[in-house]
Amino acid sequence: MAHPASRAMRAVAYILVTLATLIGASTANAADAPHIAMRLVPKSVHPAAGGKLALAIDARPATGWHGYWKNPGDAGLELQAQWTLPPRVTAAPFAYPVPQRLLVAGLMNYVFEKPYALLTDLAIPAGLAPGTALPIRVKLDYLVCTHEVCVPETQTLATDLTIGDGAVDPAVAAEFDRWRRAIPKPIGSPATWQADGKRLRIAVPYPADAPLGTGTFFPGGSGMIDQAAPQTVTRDGERLVIETAAPASAPGGRIEGVLDTGAGPAFAIDAAPGTVSPAATGGGGDGGWIGAALVAFAGALAGGLILNVMPCVFPILSLKALSLARAGAEDERAARAEALAYTGGVVLVCLGLGAAILALRAGGSAVGWAFQLQDPRMIVVLLILSVAIALNLAGLFEVPMPRFATHGGGAGGGVAGAFATGALAAFVATPCTGPFMGAALGAALVLPWPAALAVFAGLGLGLALPFLLLGFIPALRRRLPRPGLWMERLRRILSVPMWLTAIALAWVLGRQVGVEAMTLALVAALLAALVLWIAGTRQRAGHGFGAVAAAALALVLVGTAMLVPRERVAAAAPLGTEPFTEARLAALQAEGRPVFAYFTADWCLTCKVNEKTAIETQAATDAFRNGKVAVLVGDWTDGDPTLGRFIERHNRAGVPLYLWYPAGGGAPRVMPQVLTAAMLADMAGGKGV
């Protein structure tokens, strides 16, 4: 944690640099358009006398610029407003939405980088005659910054009102409703804070079944907490415990601010001094998330290990095992090098996918595991890739490797070949979600980013573990059968699961964007097969794979991906089910009915297996009918962000997700990711609740 004096010095230096920039640029900036476009919006242009009128400052920062919250943080300035109002008309202080945190040079800033609105209420005096003019003017002085420079700006906004009946345009009312939802709500229960040494804890009453994501506390003023220090927000029964570093001098009196729950509404908090015990679940400092990260890492490791038996991964793993058997069990150094290279390829791809998920979520997207499969073009890439792998296993061609890549090599292609094979195995495993993975990857999304990436690395390590053990344990390699003609036969047999994977991907594509797109992809797969057949013929004649063949293959792949449409064809819900919406769920719960809600996607293999073997069976259907269970289906094939946020609130990174809501209301039970018809029948009959 930075010393307060050093932080103050950085703040002074930041301001001095900004002032120097302003002195040199003030003349030019005077003529420029403002970096935050603002407009003054009344809820009604004909307010009624004797009432209140909602008024908004609709602010839209230019790309790369940001404005400041009411507490700007360690640097920056709060917006200042000077009103020019008719006699007896008064304006309330602005209500601010939840800001974003921005750390620059060790200084924490609370800013708005996206469009936002400040809300106030005008008190209109009674007794004004209809038609009375009310000119409203406000001069706004504020600071607008990039990460490198700040500029003070001034705008004068105006609107002319006329006393009337208070009628509100529906479009304007909807806009105000949206702005109002972004304003933190009073939590309605007393909160408490305590400084304990160098730590500060705030206890906030919060229902145990209320949604919680990655919570963040924004202090209402400076000196309440160390604003740049890390925070933890931990659920502990019927309360949340916010823990962070205490400021240099303990705050006196009350601590107020805003708690962003990360998964629901934000709340305005007013905490009084008192006694706050640490969270029993381990939220005291770093130990809380470290423990959660270790559990998530173990779950991801187990989930990755199970992925090896999936039909799209098992042939690749088996092929690598065969390469070790063919090379012999005595070349210890080469075996270990290949095992490490294979593991490196797997882990690197899993880390890359994890980093992409975290980056997209930080930008506001509700994505999860296998997010790339929500784009039909990626389905095309995987379909053609699966066909190519199947043809390779069938012996139609061999994957060309440069000479340097086959050093130390054997049949597996050496270290570079093992790395590429590992990367390929991880990439084609993305449609799969097995036991342990859902909870582990869901936890990764609410952990600090280093811990989250460690969880994704654990998934890769689990996926690579069988081959890693083969490479480092000679006794396991000696158990492999001796090389022989059987290996070629087994290799061709292993092409069958890859053909099944290709068929499944074609089905997914047809479900997503229609039969025409699926037909186009199948034609592309045929063209790719012809190119690979020609290349294989050249190889068997003693020639290379051929640059022309490689270019033609790339052209087929890229061209088809560009031609496939992205618009999804709507699919009908299974018989006896309804599409999931939170409004429909609330209505069914209000009726007192039990609800089974499941979230699926066409590209999710586990989802489809569960649906065919458990959910859509006659036993489950009869049990649901007899128990008057409503069944809601959330289809996440196209990455619907509304469903994505709902899934995230239940600590899952993707599908499948199965929720059981008991009769009479109450919190849902998260069911296992592998279902049976008997399990669902027991739930419907009240035996599993």
Side-chain angles (χ1 to χ4, degrees):
M1 181 180 70
H3 191 277
S6 64
R7 185 170 296 152
M9 290 295 292
R10 286 200 300 270
V12 170
Y14 183 78
I15 293 170
L16 289 176
V17 170
T18 297
L19 289 175
T21 306
L22 293 176
I23 291 172
S26 58
T27 304
N29 287 334
D32 289 346
H35 295 95
I36 300 183
M38 295 184 176
R39 64 188 182 111
L40 186 62
V41 185
K43 191 168 184 180
S44 173
V45 294
H46 300 294
K52 289 187 176 181
L53 173 68
L55 203 65
I57 304 293
D58 181 12
R60 300 172 183 270
T63 303
W65 294 82
H66 58 259
Y68 286 90
W69 192 48
K70 61 180 181 179
N71 170 20
D74 293 328
L77 294 172
E78 180 186 2
L79 174 142
Q80 301 295 321
Q82 297 181 21
W83 293 94
T84 301
L85 301 171
R88 296 188 295 147
V89 175
T90 58
F94 282 121
Y96 284 73
V98 180
Q100 299 93 46
R101 288 160 56 98
L102 175 64
L103 190 65
V104 179
L107 301 174
M108 180 58 70
N109 300 265
Y110 301 134
V111 303
F112 298 107
E113 297 179 308
K114 299 177 182 179
Y116 62 101
L118 309 181
L119 301 185
T120 184
D121 287 323
L122 294 183
I124 309 297
L128 296 179
T132 302
L134 296 177
I136 308 297
R137 304 289 184 272
V138 61
K139 179 187 176 186
L140 302 174
D141 294 294
Y142 57 93
L143 192 66
V144 59
C145 300
T146 66
H147 290 197
E148 293 81 24
V149 64
C150 291
V151 179
E153 292 184 344
T154 297
Q155 292 191 54
T156 299
L157 308 179
T159 185
D160 293 317
L161 310 176
T162 305
I163 293 295
D165 59 1
V168 180
D169 181 273
V172 176
E175 202 168 28
F176 270 86
D177 289 342
R178 176 172 58 84
W179 289 331
R180 188 72 66 185
R181 285 194 295 270
I183 304 297
K185 311 297 186 293
I187 199 158
S189 300
T192 309
W193 70 268
Q194 178 186 8
D196 183 6
K198 294 183 179 181
R199 305 296 295 174
L200 184 141
R201 291 189 295 272
I202 305 173
V204 181
Y206 195 72
D209 58 352
L212 177 67
T214 305
T216 305
F217 177 67
F218 297 91
S222 60
M224 295 181 179
I225 66 171
D226 184 342
Q227 297 180 135
Q231 301 179 7
T232 60
V233 178
T234 308
R235 189 193 298 275
D236 185 23
E238 295 287 331
R239 68 171 187 161
L240 299 180
V241 177
I242 305 163
E243 184 160 348
T244 185
S249 17
R254 307 182 75 87
I255 291 180
E256 62 176 18
V258 168
L259 173 63
D260 181 6
T261 63
F267 297 101
I269 294 171
D270 186 1
T275 301
V276 179
S277 59
T281 51
D286 293 339
W289 69 258
I290 289 176
L294 290 174
V295 173
F297 180 87
L301 188 72
L305 186 61
I306 293 173
L307 282 183
N308 283 287
V309 300
M310 295 295 180
C312 50
V313 179
F314 181 71
I316 299 174
L317 173 65
S318 301
L319 191 62
K320 288 307 298 174
L322 289 178
S323 73
L324 281 183
R326 184 181 290 111
E330 304 303 325
D331 193 346
E332 193 73 24
R333 184 176 178 182
R336 291 182 176 181
E338 283 203 34
L340 288 174
Y342 179 86
T343 303
V346 172
V347 172
L348 189 64
V349 169
C350 288
L351 281 174
L353 290 171
I357 290 172
L358 296 177
L360 289 170
R361 293 177 71 86
S365 299
V367 300
W369 182 249
F371 70 95
Q372 67 272 33
L373 298 182
Q374 294 160 1
D375 188 332
R377 293 171 297 187
M378 186 56 67
I379 301 292
V380 170
V381 172
L382 280 171
L383 169 60
I384 297 177
L385 190 59
S386 298
V387 169
I389 295 172
L391 293 174
N392 173 255
L393 290 170
L396 188 69
F397 74 101
E398 298 299 328
V399 177
M401 296 296 295
R403 289 181 180 274
F404 72 86
T406 59
H407 178 68
V415 170
F419 181 89
T421 304
L424 178 65
F427 185 69
V428 300
T430 53
C432 303
T433 302
F436 306 107
M437 277 184 61
L441 298 184
L445 301 183
V446 299
L447 290 170
W449 70 265
L453 289 179
V455 173
F456 285 104
L459 175 66
L461 185 59
L463 184 58
L465 193 57
F467 191 69
L468 191 63
L469 294 177
L470 279 173
F472 276 80
I473 302 178
L476 290 179
R477 293 201 306 278
R478 285 193 290 270
R479 288 180 176 274
L480 294 174
R482 292 181 178 277
L485 185 60
W486 68 269
M487 295 176 63
E488 292 303 318
R489 293 173 182 163
L490 179 61
R491 176 176 165 172
R492 283 154 177 71
I493 292 172
L494 289 174
S495 69
V496 175
M498 292 310 303
W499 283 117
L500 294 175
T501 301
I503 292 170
L505 288 167
W507 176 82
V508 169
L509 188 66
R511 293 267 295 183
Q512 278 188 328
V513 288
V515 175
E516 291 184 2
M518 180 182 70
T519 304
L520 175 64
L522 291 175
V523 170
L526 176 61
L527 292 175
L530 289 174
V531 171
L532 293 172
W533 173 66
I534 293 171
T537 303
R538 285 175 49 85
Q539 288 177 327
R540 286 187 291 276
H543 305 296
F545 187 87
V548 174
L553 197 61
L555 183 63
V556 169
L557 192 65
V558 175
T560 309
M562 292 178 64
L563 289 173
V564 168
R566 298 193 63 185
E567 294 77 14
R568 188 180 174 216
V569 176
L575 188 64
T577 68
E578 300 179 62
F580 175 89
T581 66
E582 292 190 65
R584 182 56 181 155
L585 172 62
L588 289 168
Q589 286 191 290
E591 296 174 9
R593 292 184 63 184
V595 179
F596 174 59
Y598 69 93
F599 300 84
T600 180
D602 288 343
W603 37 261
C604 171
L605 177 62
T606 305
C607 303
K608 295 305 166 188
V609 171
N610 281 332
E611 286 158 28
K612 297 303 179 185
T613 62
I615 299 173
E616 297 174 7
T617 60
Q618 192 62 47
T621 301
D622 292 343
F624 288 155
R625 184 186 305 110
N626 295 335
K628 297 183 178 179
V629 178
V631 181
L632 301 181
V633 183
D635 189 344
W636 203 47
T637 300
D638 59 354
D640 180 356
T642 301
L643 284 181
R645 286 187 288 271
F646 184 86
I647 292 168
E648 178 188 347
R649 292 206 298 270
H650 293 81
N651 296 322
R652 288 293 185 269
V655 291
L657 172 64
Y658 304 108
L659 299 175
W660 180 271
Y661 293 84
R669 172 179 172 179
V670 180
M671 299 182 67
Q673 288 187 295
V674 176
L675 300 178
T676 65
M679 183 189 303
L680 294 175
D682 287 345
M683 294 293 292
K687 299 178 183 178
V689 180

